[in-house]
Structure formats: structure tokens, C-alpha cells
Amino acid sequence: MSMILILIGVIAFIVIATSKFKLHPFLTLILASFLAAFAYGLPSADIAKTITSGFGGILGYIGLVIVLGTIIGTILEKSGAAITMADVVIKVLGKRFPTLTMSIIGYIVSIPVFCDSGFVILNSLKQSMANRMKVSSVSMSVALATGLYATHTFVPPTPGPIAAAGNLGLENQLGLVIAIGVFVAATAAFAGTLWANRFANEQPDGEGAEELNNQLEDYETLKKSYGELPSPTKAFAPIFVPILLICLGSIANFPSAPLGKESVFDILMFLGQPVNALMIGLLLAIPLLKSSDKIKEFSDRISQGLVVAAPILLITGAGGAFGAVLKATEIGTFLGSSLSALGVGIFMPFIVAAALKSAQGSSTVALVATSALVAPLLGDIGLASDMGRVLTVMAIGAGAMTVSHANDSFFWVVTQFSRMSVKQAYRAQTMATLVQGLTAMTLVYILSLVLL
């Protein structure tokens, strides 16, 4: 019992430090690692070594993937490629189902671009579509936000799911994570769209809401500000070619060797390694650069991407350190046997992630901390197989979107740009993320019954 109480105390420390005292998650997780190490009685001579090896170990596996994915996302964002993606989706789907179209745009754009940035970029498109098609701005805002949120929490190369996969030993199985994540994220996005449709006849009631009707031309102005937009091929290639290569690499590595064991296998295994695939994606992003001095612009985009990636890398490394400390204790075996007896199984990662997300606001922190916490337990609760680990990432992702409210920066981006009052945003956006999380977790549970 004392082992569980210590763990509860450490988790409470993480929640209180990040939510109440606003301590940075990086330092919080490092301090939690030391607290857990001392509380569980690890030999003092081994504590620093365990923490540093855990920190470096996870970044050795997944750090470059996070950096490369973030730089690609930055180039796509700054070049107007996200606008091109949105235009392609509208052209393909038409304007018959505006909320579904808006959700799909968000779903695609948020694979390479952070959901906060994605909403800002696409806000004028959303409002323009709402005005032209006489659809509620609230329903369109929720559809966009939930579409963005779905892939943000489930689909690599978004940093949160990548970090969770790395913590759970899936750095060589990202193709499988992507394949399952795309399906789960699509279900979550559709659930968000259905919730958005509940507000089809409700207009924003926040400050400045009346200004929205005057924003019809903003989207065209935004497009012009990017100059000549990239072609659809150039816009989609840097993200979808790496995803395709990673998936093909995973397929080639199946025990049944569906693609053989000869030269094609060797090529796909090389290209399917996440670092190699994303390097190719980065090369494919170079044609998106617009200035006459492409080398300088490329360097600027790399610098901007590194600024975004740095805190994610630190939090991910700290999560690895925390996980390494827990692995060095007996808590995994003890808690795993206890949970097995309770029959909680796949729901345990969801509950922990949901608690962390709701308490401190960051989906990425919830993904990293929860994956580090549950990694030592997987064998004892029957989730040690590759598919078990993948479904654990999905369960954590479902928890990491449950729920987005006032302590989440994305909540305020959606609220302010949509001119919703806080009360209205809680009914529309926060409840939508609850519906998404519960729907996704239900699907993950069904998949666990079928696939495990």
C-alpha cells in the first residue's frame, strides 16, 4: 500500500506543481524523478545515473524525429502550404457538408502543424465558409478545433504521440502507431463534428462577436499575404511521403515478410526508419521556400522550428527520466498485479492521462508523463505486445484530449478567435473534447478485445 501512496503523492506533486504553481513541466518531471527515487529507496549512488540515462535514452530514440517533424511543420505553416491543403479539401468535398469539410481540413493540417497554430491559420477560412454557406460560426469553430485536436493527440509525427510511442518502446513501430492512430483520430474527429452540429443555429455570444460578419474577405486577404501558394503536390509531399515510407517500412518488417527479404526489403527498411523518412520529408519541403536567398530562409525556418521543438524535447527527456526511475523500482510489478486483479487494463492509461490533462492543461505533458508512468506496468497488465503498446498510446491519447478547458492554451485560442464567451466555449468546445475522448476510448477498448 505504501508504494501506491508514494506514486499517488508523486502524481499529485506533478499536477499541483504544473497547474497551481505554474512550474515548468520539464523541471516538475525532473523533481518528480528525484522524489520518486528517494521515496522508493533507490541507492543514492544510482539515482543520478538512472535519471540521466533515462533522459538521454528516450531522446536518443525519438529526439531527432521530433526536431525534424517540427521543422517540416514550421515550413508548411510559413509557406502557405496549410492554405493549399485546405483549398484542396474544399475542392474535393465541395460545400455540401460544411462542418465535416472543416473537420477534415483540421484533421489533415494538424498532422504536421500544431493545433494552436493550425486554428489561427485556418480561422479566416472557417469564418469565410461560415458566412458564405450561412452556417453557425460556433459549429464551424468546434468542427475545426476538434478536427485539429484529433490528429494532434493520436497521429505521429505530432510530438506528443511520438514521445509516448518512444516511452513505450515503439520507436521502430511508428508505422503501426500511425495506421491505428489515423483510424482512432478519424473516429474522434467525426464525434467532434457531430457535437459541433448541435450548435448549427447558435451564434457566438462573446465580446466582438458582431465583427465576425464583416470578415468575409479575410481569407482572400490571408491567401494573398502568402504570395504565390505552393501546388497541392508540393504542399502535401513533405508530410505524406514520410508517413507512407514509415508505414511501408513497418509492413516490410512484418514477420510474414509480405514484401520479401531481398533488395526491396532493405530499401524500405532504410527509408521507413522515422529519422530517414523525415529527412526525406525535409528535403521535399525545400521547394516550398520562397525567398531569393533560400539558404538563409531555410536556416531561419530551422531556427524557428528548433525554438518550438526545444521545450518538447526537454519535457520528453524529463518524462524518460521519470519513467526510468519507476522502472528501477518494484512499483511496476506491484501495481501491475493489483490492476490485473481489478480488471482495469487498458482503461488505466486513459484515466491517468485524463486526470493529468484536465488538471494541468497540456496534452503533450499528459502524453509524456502518462506513457513514462505506465511503461513498467505493461507486462503485468497484458499489454506488452507491440499491438498492446500501440493501443496503450491510443488510450493515453484519448485521455490527453479529455478535457480541454480554461487551463489549456488551445481552449483560449478557440474561444478568442471564435468570439465565444467562456460559458459558451465550455458547452461547445470543452464538451466536444469530452465526447471525443470518451468515443476514442470506447473504440480503443473494442480494438483491444479484437486485436489482443
Side-chain angles (χ1 to χ4, degrees):
M1 179 59 75
S2 61
M3 298 185 77
I4 293 179
L5 291 176
I6 291 172
L7 185 62
I8 292 172
V10 172
I11 294 173
F13 167 76
I14 295 172
V15 170
I16 294 171
T18 53
S19 60
K20 183 175 177 61
F21 295 104
K22 309 301 180 185
L23 196 62
H24 195 281
F26 162 70
L27 183 58
T28 301
L29 287 168
I30 293 295
L31 291 175
S33 302
F34 277 102
L35 286 174
F38 283 115
Y40 283 119
L42 264 62
S44 57
D46 295 340
I47 291 176
K49 182 179 179 181
T50 301
I51 290 174
T52 54
S53 62
F55 184 92
I58 185 65
L59 291 184
Y61 281 124
I62 219 74
L64 275 176
V65 176
I66 292 175
V67 170
L68 291 172
T70 305
I71 293 172
I72 291 171
T74 301
I75 294 174
L76 291 174
E77 177 185 336
K78 301 297 184 183
S79 66
I83 301 292
T84 297
M85 291 178 184
D87 282 346
V88 168
V89 174
I90 293 172
K91 186 176 180 180
V92 171
L93 296 179
K95 300 177 179 179
R96 186 176 178 186
F97 304 105
T99 52
L100 179 61
T101 300
M102 204 74 250
S103 179
I104 292 173
I105 290 170
Y107 179 96
I108 293 172
V109 168
S110 197
I111 295 175
V113 178
F114 279 85
C115 58
D116 304 61
S117 299
F119 195 93
V120 174
I121 293 167
L122 297 170
N123 179 64
S124 56
L125 167 64
K126 175 263 300 180
Q127 190 57 41
S128 178
M129 287 179 63
N131 290 343
R132 290 176 186 177
M133 292 181 275
K134 309 300 181 185
V135 182
S136 161
S137 173
V138 173
S139 64
M140 292 289 275
S141 295
V142 174
L144 173 60
T146 52
L148 289 162
Y149 211 36
T151 45
H152 178 78
T153 53
F154 288 116
V155 183
T158 307
I162 284 181
N167 276 336
L168 297 177
L170 290 167
E171 58 278 349
N172 294 320
Q173 293 290 339
L174 281 185
L176 191 57
V177 178
I178 291 171
I180 301 296
V182 163
F183 176 53
V184 175
T187 304
F190 186 65
T193 302
L194 292 179
W195 185 263
N197 288 338
R198 292 169 55 92
F199 297 87
N201 299 314
E202 185 170 331
Q203 294 302 322
D205 62 0
E207 184 178 349
E210 66 280 357
E211 298 173 10
L212 291 180
N213 292 325
N214 300 321
Q215 294 182 357
L216 185 60
E217 301 303 322
D218 278 1
Y219 180 56
E220 295 304 320
T221 303
L222 177 67
K223 287 176 68 173
K224 290 177 182 176
S225 71
Y226 284 100
E228 184 179 353
L229 291 174
S231 68
T233 301
K234 288 182 179 180
F236 282 101
I239 186 64
F240 284 109
V241 169
I243 287 176
L244 177 62
L245 291 174
I246 291 170
C247 291
L248 287 174
S250 293
I251 293 171
N253 200 35
F254 283 171
S256 59
L259 302 179
K261 284 285 186 181
E262 302 302 325
S263 56
V264 173
F265 170 81
D266 293 333
I267 292 171
L268 288 177
M269 284 302 295
F270 174 78
L271 296 178
Q273 293 293 316
V275 171
N276 299 337
L278 285 167
M279 276 300 299
I280 292 171
L282 185 58
L283 293 176
L284 291 172
I286 291 176
L288 296 172
L289 302 173
K290 295 182 175 182
S291 71
S292 56
D293 190 350
K294 285 186 166 49
I295 294 178
K296 182 181 184 303
E297 184 183 357
F298 192 39
S299 296
D300 290 342
R301 297 293 177 253
I302 292 173
S303 297
Q304 292 164 351
L306 291 176
V307 169
V308 175
I312 298 167
L313 289 171
L314 290 173
I315 294 169
T316 301
F322 182 49
V325 168
L326 294 178
K327 288 176 185 176
T329 71
E330 296 297 321
I331 184 62
T333 302
F334 178 78
L335 195 56
S337 59
S338 302
L339 291 170
S340 297
L342 292 174
V344 176
I346 195 72
F347 286 98
M348 189 275 288
F350 168 78
I351 294 169
V352 174
L356 281 171
K357 164 63 179 177
S358 300
Q360 53 78 41
S362 170
S363 295
T364 301
V365 171
L367 279 156
V368 172
T370 305
S371 57
L373 179 69
V374 303
L377 316 179
L378 296 183
D380 296 290
I381 58 177
L383 297 172
S385 65
D386 283 347
M387 185 55 71
R389 293 173 188 273
V390 170
L391 292 180
T392 301
V393 173
M394 298 300 111
I396 295 170
M401 61 167 37
T402 313
V403 292
S404 174
H405 62 103
N407 60 3
D408 181 6
S409 61
F410 187 51
F411 172 87
W412 291 110
V413 169
V414 175
T415 302
Q416 296 305 305
F417 277 87
S418 303
R419 301 294 195 269
M420 287 190 276
S421 66
V422 173
K423 180 180 178 181
Q424 187 178 48
Y426 265 91
R427 289 192 298 109
Q429 172 65 9
T430 300
M431 286 301 297
T433 60
L434 176 62
V435 170
Q436 281 189 293
L438 294 177
T439 301
M441 188 58 224
T442 301
L443 176 60
V444 171
Y445 175 65
I446 293 171
L447 290 175
S448 73
L449 296 178
V450 175
L451 301 176
L452 297 181

